[in-house]
Amino acid sequence: SEQSDKAAAYFQTALESQNSIFTDDAWWYLGLTWLKQNDFDKAKEALQRSQKPEAKKLMEELAGE
């Protein structure tokens, strides 16, 4: 849990930079981090902001549950 908290903080810091080339990856990994913490609302919000195809697929799987 402590590692997940640290990871979430790093991803949020990356998202604060408006011109970062890592924005899409940060949303993806932030969503995964929040899923691991069982914070499904935050996870869905982050995954919706990611343009990764994996994010769309994961969102569909989450909607099916």
Side-chain angles (χ1 to χ4, degrees):
S1 178
E2 183 180 328
Q3 294 294 333
S4 294
D5 291 338
K6 287 181 183 180
Y10 288 124
F11 297 134
Q12 289 173 321
T13 300
L15 290 169
E16 290 175 7
S17 176
Q18 294 180 359
N19 295 326
S20 175
I21 61 171
F22 301 108
T23 300
D24 205 39
D25 289 330
W27 281 121
W28 166 248
Y29 288 113
L30 187 57
L32 293 179
T33 300
W34 281 330
L35 274 178
K36 184 175 182 176
Q37 295 179 345
N38 294 320
D39 193 335
F40 297 107
D41 291 334
K42 285 184 179 180
K44 288 178 183 178
E45 181 182 333
L47 292 171
Q48 286 174 345
R49 291 179 164 214
S50 175
Q51 299 299 312
K52 290 184 151 300
E54 299 93 337
K56 183 178 179 179
K57 183 177 179 182
L58 184 54
M59 286 294 299
E60 290 171 358
E61 290 176 14
L62 291 173
E65 291 182 8

